[in-house]
Amino acid sequence: MLAKHLGARVYKHPDGHAEVGYYPIRPTAAGREICREWPGHVYQWHREGFDLPDQAALLAEGDSFPVQAFSYGGTAFALQFHMDVTHATMCRWTTRGHERMALPNAQPRDSHFEGRLIHDVACRAWLADFIDHWLKLAGTPESAHANSESV
């Protein structure tokens, strides 16, 4: 949504690929400035990708959909992946959205739960670091000044 709001193209993969399951990501130097440690794989549930908006900083990239995370203006962040997924959410999505697992490049249901066992600890650690970073930004005098000007 943020990419579209900033004027970037949102698109379906040319080969119809989806990312449904755990997929590798690679942090950029800008991404490592925000969080030094990144998980190797993250949970995805999407069929569209987006271009990097003008003046945005690429934080992480992937294979099927190159833009996986970006920041804009230092305080707005967009993530293509779902660090917020819980076991209950995964059960619900893979049951109610079972047809997505038949899309090209999507992973079968059992791989989602296997991936959670393998990658969840690193994903949770990243999320804690990211939230700490974000909350520190919210407490800076610059962000308080910017927020008061936009009201």
Side-chain angles (χ1 to χ4, degrees):
M1 289 188 305
L2 183 57
K4 183 173 182 155
H5 177 75
L6 295 172
R9 176 181 69 116
V10 176
Y11 60 91
K12 292 187 185 255
H13 191 277
D15 296 326
H17 286 190
E19 286 184 327
V20 177
Y22 280 89
Y23 295 85
I25 59 167
R26 296 173 302 281
T28 64
R32 290 207 186 272
E33 287 178 19
I34 290 172
C35 293
R36 205 177 110 212
E37 297 296 323
W38 284 66
H41 290 72
V42 293
Y43 194 69
Q44 310 268 10
W45 190 268
H46 65 90
R47 295 178 280 192
E48 294 88 17
F50 46 85
D51 290 335
L52 185 66
D54 290 341
Q55 301 178 3
L58 182 64
L59 304 178
E61 50 194 353
D63 296 329
S64 291
F65 295 94
V67 179
Q68 288 290 322
F70 70 84
S71 66
Y72 184 82
T75 56
F77 295 90
L79 307 176
Q80 179 75 317
F81 43 88
H82 291 276
M83 293 302 213
D84 56 327
V85 73
T86 64
H87 181 78
T89 303
M90 192 178 289
C91 289
R92 189 169 36 258
W93 287 0
T94 59
T95 300
R96 293 183 183 167
H98 62 88
E99 69 283 348
R100 286 196 181 197
M101 288 169 276
L103 294 170
N105 196 48
Q107 297 172 355
R109 188 173 197 259
D110 61 332
S111 294
H112 294 233
F113 295 96
E114 181 181 329
R116 184 167 170 77
L117 292 173
I118 296 167
H119 306 295
D120 191 54
V121 171
C123 289
R124 296 285 171 221
W126 180 89
L127 182 59
D129 286 348
F130 176 78
I131 290 173
D132 285 347
H133 172 81
W134 185 62
L135 290 174
K136 287 176 189 170
L137 288 175
T140 62
E142 297 83 24
S143 69
H145 179 69
N147 289 337
S148 67
E149 287 180 353
S150 65
V151 175

